[in-house]
């Protein structure tokens, strides 16, 4: 049987593919060029980076694999999913039945990391720290869990209910909100991919706080997300009959993304920021909207806020400020890596409403992770991510 997990020059990273599809996979394997040397500044023309997706049986792992199907420089050579080990990827995700050049799923302990150059870690929160800390030093990592997003390990313990198990590694990790931390990401080995809510909030508010156009007080964030943000595991509150035809707030006053949002906004303001943040579960599969209610600095208008965002993101591929008066909608970013923003004057004098929408699984997770991995390998960050939104 053909080995589908890595190039012929290295040992197989995972189990062999099933015999019925080995011919096509063998041809795909032969096309994989030798990997860039460890420590290389970037991927050179003709080279392919050998990628492992840990936790590929979840939604964010699936999205990484789906998006990488269009990537010319990244080759998926290993997929892990402990409970699905031994299965073809298309058995777990039938909509990707045409993804014939990816390996079968295996357990992490069966993976030979000697044949891996880069890892997307899509494992659940609180399970990632020791895994990432134990990876060989030549591997570049983008972690999609929350385990490395908070710089203060004590804050992590407070909000996630357990001691951080890799505090020394935490000191080296770069927070990966791409448009705001691009230069630091380029020099990193391990990147903490931001959460979906923090992405949708920080992209519009950080430039406004940095410029002193809004105050650090009285920021109210009313956010709404599709059900896929809760992951793929079976939970009663995520059943169709529990979610359909309704809306409910959750994590009220204690959602775990709150300290991550406050960390980024405090950095931007140069002083501690505390926000009122309430997320809501919507009866839709994917999409996220954050309505941010802010107090403007003396003499500042909503038009000033909008103009600052227009200037800040004028050259960005994925962040767009809409035309005056246009309302961002989740339908208009579905399946894409784009963030749409606009600013509106509130009825209350001195206040404004900033609306921001993203796809929670793409810009809010896997798409941004690929942006970051592109930067780690010296590639254009938009590579494989310029798909337009799906509508209707």
């Amino acid at each position: 049987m053909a080995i589908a997990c890595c190039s012929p020059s290295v040992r197989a990273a995972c189990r062999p593919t099933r015999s019925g599809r080995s011919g096509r996979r063998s041809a795909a394997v032969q096309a994989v060029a030798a990997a860039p040397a460890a420590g290389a500044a970037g991927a050179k023309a003709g080279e392919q980076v050998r990628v492992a997706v840990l936790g590929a049986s979840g939604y964010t792992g699936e999205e990484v694999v789906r998006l990488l199907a269009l990537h010319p420089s990244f080759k998926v050579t290993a997929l892990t999913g402990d409970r699905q080990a031994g299965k073809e990827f298309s058995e777990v995700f039938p909509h990707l039945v045409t993804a014939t050049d990816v390996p079968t799923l295996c357990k992490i302990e069966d993976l030979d990391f000697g044949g891996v150059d880069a890892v997307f870690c899509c494992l659940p929160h609180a399970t990632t720290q020791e895994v990432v800390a134990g990876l060989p030093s030549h591997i570049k990592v983008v972690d999609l869990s929350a385990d490395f997003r908070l710089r203060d390990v004590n804050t992590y313990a407070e909000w996630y209910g357990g001691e951080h198990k890799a505090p020394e590694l935490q000191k080296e990790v770069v927070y990966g909100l791409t448009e705001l931390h691009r230069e630091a990401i380029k020099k990193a080995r391990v990147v903490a991919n931001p959460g979906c809510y923090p992405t949708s909030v920080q992209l519009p508010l950080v430039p406004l706080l940095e410029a002193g156009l809004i105050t650090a007080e009285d920021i109210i964030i009313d956010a709404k997300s599709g059900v896929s943000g809760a992951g793929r595991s079976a939970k009663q509150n995520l059943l169709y009959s529990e979610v359909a035809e309704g809306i409910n707030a959750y994590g009220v006053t204690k959602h775990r993304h709150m300290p991550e949002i406050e960390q980024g906004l405090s950095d931007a303001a140069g002083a501690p920021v505390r926000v009122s943040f309430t997320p809501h579960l919507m009866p839709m599969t994917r999409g996220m909207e954050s309505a941010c209610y802010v107090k403007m600095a003396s003499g500042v208008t909503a038009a000033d806020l909008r103009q600052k965002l227009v200037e800040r993101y004028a050259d960005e591929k994925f962040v767009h400020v809409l035309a005056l008066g246009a309302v961002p909608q989740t339908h208009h970013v579905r399946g894409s890596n784009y963030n749409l923003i606009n600013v509106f004057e509130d009825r209350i004098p001195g206040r404004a409403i900033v609306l921001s929408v993203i796809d929670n699984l793409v810009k809010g997770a896997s798409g941004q992770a690929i942006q970051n991995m592109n930067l780690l390998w010296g590639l254009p960050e938009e590579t494989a991510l310029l798909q337009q939104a799906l509508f209707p």
Side-chain angles (χ1 to χ4, degrees):
M1 292 191 293
I3 298 298
C5 293
C6 51
S7 69
S9 61
V10 296
R11 293 179 59 195
C14 287
R15 297 182 182 185
T17 61
R18 294 188 176 183
S19 57
R21 301 169 70 182
S22 61
R24 285 186 291 174
R25 294 211 174 163
S26 179
V29 168
Q30 296 295 331
V32 179
K44 299 177 182 179
E47 292 180 329
Q48 286 195 304
V49 177
R50 300 166 297 184
V51 172
V53 182
L54 310 186
S57 58
Y59 288 141
T60 58
E62 172 274 326
E63 281 288 273
V64 168
V65 177
R66 180 180 72 86
L67 294 168
L68 287 184
L70 296 178
H71 204 296
S73 300
F74 291 166
K75 170 67 178 176
V76 177
T77 58
L79 299 173
T80 77
D82 286 0
R83 286 179 294 180
Q84 306 287 358
K87 291 184 179 180
E88 297 285 354
F89 195 61
S90 60
E91 289 183 73
V92 181
F93 293 104
H95 69 293
L96 294 179
V97 67
T98 55
T100 58
D101 59 345
V102 295
T104 54
L105 290 154
C106 67
K107 295 183 178 181
I108 291 179
E109 57 264 32
D110 294 335
L111 198 159
D112 176 10
F113 284 102
V116 172
D117 307 303
V119 162
F120 289 95
C121 195
C122 306
L123 299 170
H125 307 318
T127 65
T128 297
Q129 298 150 29
E130 291 179 300
V131 171
V132 174
L135 292 175
S137 60
H138 74 276
I139 293 177
K140 298 185 180 187
V141 182
V142 176
D143 177 34
L144 283 78
S145 81
D147 282 12
F148 292 99
R149 294 173 187 163
L150 301 177
R151 291 193 299 268
D152 186 339
V153 294
N154 294 321
T155 302
Y156 173 86
E158 175 186 351
W159 285 86
Y160 286 88
E163 183 180 354
H164 200 286
K165 297 176 182 177
E168 292 306 311
L169 179 59
Q170 177 66 67
K171 298 174 185 177
E172 305 173 16
V173 173
V174 170
Y175 183 72
L177 213 171
T178 319
E179 287 77 11
L180 303 182
H181 304 286
R182 181 174 286 119
E183 295 308 312
I185 293 167
K186 290 178 181 178
K187 303 171 186 176
R189 186 183 74 86
V190 180
V191 173
N193 214 57
C196 45
Y197 285 122
T199 294
S200 68
V201 170
Q202 291 180 82
L203 284 172
L205 295 193
V206 162
L208 304 181
L209 283 167
E210 288 178 338
L213 296 178
I214 61 175
T215 70
E217 299 81 33
D218 300 327
I219 296 175
I220 300 170
I221 302 163
D222 177 48
K224 299 171 179 67
S225 176
V227 182
S228 60
R232 204 183 189 203
S233 59
K235 300 174 185 176
Q236 179 176 317
N237 67 310
L238 302 180
L239 296 173
Y240 177 83
S241 57
E242 303 278 340
V243 174
E245 301 178 30
I247 174 176
N248 66 278
Y250 66 101
V252 180
T253 75
K254 58 180 183 298
H255 192 279
R256 289 172 168 178
H257 283 179
M258 201 176 305
E260 184 183 344
I261 292 171
E262 293 179 342
Q263 175 179 267
L265 299 187
S266 296
D267 289 346
V273 174
R274 301 196 74 181
V275 301
S276 293
F277 169 68
T278 305
H280 300 77
L281 189 66
M282 299 295 292
M284 59 186 187
T285 301
R286 61 165 83 205
M288 175 167 287
E289 177 193 82
S290 290
C292 306
Y293 302 86
V294 299
K295 181 179 179 182
M296 293 179 285
S298 178
V300 174
T301 67
D304 295 329
L305 303 189
R306 184 179 175 280
Q307 183 59 32
K308 170 55 67 176
L309 294 174
V310 168
E311 294 170 359
R312 174 62 180 80
Y313 294 119
D315 297 324
E316 293 292 345
K317 290 285 197 304
F318 297 116
V319 183
H320 295 274
V321 181
L322 298 183
L324 189 67
V327 178
Q329 299 182 39
T330 60
H331 262 310
H332 300 161
V333 293
R334 181 180 171 88
S336 80
N337 199 52
Y338 293 100
N339 170 216
L340 303 184
I341 301 171
N342 218 343
V343 181
F344 300 84
E345 185 176 2
D346 201 341
R347 291 177 58 247
I348 301 174
R351 295 191 67 87
I353 303 167
V354 183
L355 297 180
S356 172
V357 297
I358 61 173
D359 184 310
N360 57 292
L361 289 179
V362 188
K363 183 57 176 170
S366 305
Q368 185 156 231
I370 292 172
Q371 260 188 282
N372 288 327
M373 191 66 84
N374 283 334
L375 287 176
L376 291 181
W377 288 95
L379 299 167
E381 68 186 69
E382 68 272 16
T383 306
L385 294 173
L386 292 176
Q387 299 93 332
Q388 297 299 304
L390 299 172
F391 184 85

